[in-house]
Amino acid sequence: VDIVVASIVGLAGLKPTINSISKCSKLCLANKECLVSSGKFFLDTVNKHNCKLLPLDSEHNAIFQLYDYEDPSIIESITLTASGGPFRNYNLNDLKKANLKQALNHPNWKMGKKITIDSATLMNKAFEIIEAYYLFNLNIDKINVVIHPESIIHSMVNFIDGSTAAILSDHDMRIPISYALNWPTRTNHHNVKKIDLIKLKGLSFEKPNEFLKVSLNMAKYVLCKGGSYPLIMNASNEIAVKYFLNNKIKFLDIIKIVEYILKNSKKKKINTLDDVYGADIDARDQTEKYILKNNGTFK
């Protein structure tokens, strides 16, 4: 086929996406777990079959549009933008009391429950750091995150001469999806809202919430550790979010659980699909046991 759009949620999307790579010329990737759980193995498969990989996430799609693949040495760093989610201004006491209804009330985007919770914990942005690391072959210290509540700038590329390029558009996923589907051309969409800078009046930027920034730090930690660590982070987060969605744990427990599992896991090599699924099962099992053992009390 000409184009495959991979948008199955979670690790369930990995196998069908891997199987499609040898049968398509262009892969539009919305599934984060493909790169988070099996980064180098996944990219090696893409390169082996000469498949063009285009990211559908608005942030990575923006960077793809700006990135200079012919001379990446001119790129100093990239900046991923984040809305900050519903809790961007919450203090620690407020976060301790945050409930499911509040966590699902995203200010800008209408998404599925899992990704909405990940946005609230900043875990979604942590996974995007991992994705960017693999997609653009960047050092970890060249990937920055800034909170941009308006979600108009979708990401930026910072060049070595001191200039920065950005992609601006309304927060409408039809725009990056259309770009990927029609690449390398652009098409006119009359039903998509165009941004009006006069009406916007201003664009604001902030540091990530200091009490949620641990999620972003975990992304850099697992990339430094390598091997199965990004996968373990993803698997333990999926289990923790499941328990939170069922009102079995508190909001901040999600981050505490993932952090604990990462600190108490051993690195495994990821060279095959079996390696991925084996490490994933182990991480999920370890997380389930930890949650049940502590019965809602996590340090």
Side-chain angles (χ1 to χ4, degrees):
V1 297
D2 295 317
I3 304 171
V4 167
V5 177
S7 57
I8 298 172
V9 176
L11 195 68
L14 178 60
K15 192 171 184 179
T17 305
I18 286 283
N19 288 339
S20 73
I21 289 171
S22 63
K23 301 174 179 67
C24 71
S25 56
K26 184 164 73 173
L27 174 63
C28 299
L29 186 66
N31 175 289
K32 286 181 171 60
E33 288 76 13
C34 286
L35 283 170
V36 172
S37 64
S38 62
K40 186 178 182 301
F41 166 68
F42 185 84
L43 286 180
D44 286 347
T45 307
V46 168
N47 294 330
K48 176 183 176 182
H49 295 286
N50 198 29
C51 176
K52 185 64 180 179
L53 178 62
L54 286 95
L56 287 184
D57 263 353
S58 63
E59 295 84 357
H60 301 92
N61 188 276
I63 295 167
F64 179 86
Q65 295 183 47
L66 299 168
Y67 203 80
D68 191 329
Y69 286 90
E70 293 186 5
D71 187 11
S73 65
I74 67 170
I75 293 169
E76 189 273 330
S77 64
I78 64 171
T79 301
L80 299 171
T81 56
S83 69
F87 301 141
R88 68 183 180 89
N89 291 321
Y90 274 42
N91 59 34
L92 183 57
N93 189 51
D94 290 336
L95 286 170
K96 287 179 179 179
K97 296 183 290 185
N99 60 42
L100 179 58
K101 183 179 179 180
Q102 291 172 318
L104 289 173
N105 186 27
H106 196 281
N108 295 346
W109 302 93
K110 291 184 179 179
M111 308 176 288
K113 289 184 178 181
K114 162 67 167 55
I115 194 172
T116 303
I117 299 303
D118 285 348
S119 178
T121 60
L122 293 188
M123 199 67 75
N124 188 53
K125 202 55 51 177
F127 293 143
E128 288 180 8
I129 291 173
I130 298 172
E131 283 185 278
Y133 173 82
Y134 288 115
L135 282 169
F136 306 108
N137 194 27
L138 289 165
N139 291 331
I140 303 168
D141 59 0
K142 291 189 174 184
I143 305 172
N144 308 306
V145 172
V146 66
I147 302 301
H148 170 50
E150 295 84 5
S151 295
I152 296 298
I153 293 178
H154 294 282
S155 275
M156 294 169 269
V157 173
N158 312 300
F159 298 100
I160 57 174
D161 63 358
S163 61
T164 293
I167 292 289
L168 286 73
S169 73
D170 190 40
H171 37 85
D172 185 334
M173 281 305 298
R174 290 177 297 177
I175 297 172
I177 291 170
S178 172
Y179 179 85
L181 290 175
N182 292 287
W183 182 87
T185 62
R186 292 181 187 268
T187 57
N188 186 14
H189 293 284
H190 298 288
N191 61 337
V192 169
K193 180 182 176 183
K194 309 297 192 297
I195 58 170
D196 186 328
L197 296 177
I198 302 301
K199 287 183 178 179
L200 277 175
K201 294 185 179 179
L203 301 173
S204 58
F205 305 94
E206 307 166 3
K207 293 180 180 180
N209 185 309
E210 62 177 308
F211 304 110
L212 298 174
K213 194 177 178 181
V214 62
S215 297
L216 307 181
N217 294 335
M218 275 194 277
K220 298 189 176 186
Y221 171 80
V222 299
L223 286 172
C224 287
K225 298 285 281 186
S228 59
Y229 271 90
L231 182 156
I232 293 166
M233 179 179 173
N234 174 70
S236 59
N237 178 68
E238 279 198 24
I239 296 299
V241 170
K242 179 185 75 172
Y243 274 83
F244 177 66
L245 287 171
N246 289 323
N247 286 304
K248 297 290 180 66
I249 62 172
K250 296 177 182 177
F251 176 73
L252 284 180
D253 290 340
I254 298 171
I255 297 172
K256 293 176 183 177
I257 289 164
V258 176
E259 196 171 27
Y260 175 87
I261 297 300
L262 285 174
K263 288 181 178 179
N264 291 275
S265 295
K266 293 182 179 179
K267 179 179 175 179
K268 297 178 182 178
K269 293 182 179 179
I270 303 295
N271 295 319
T272 67
L273 272 178
D274 287 342
D275 291 339
V276 173
Y277 289 117
D280 180 74
I281 290 170
D282 288 346
R284 289 170 189 268
D285 184 56
Q286 185 182 359
T287 307
E288 289 265 10
K289 289 178 179 177
Y290 176 65
I291 293 172
L292 294 173
K293 178 182 177 181
N294 284 272
N295 195 28
T297 304
F298 305 95
K299 296 181 179 180

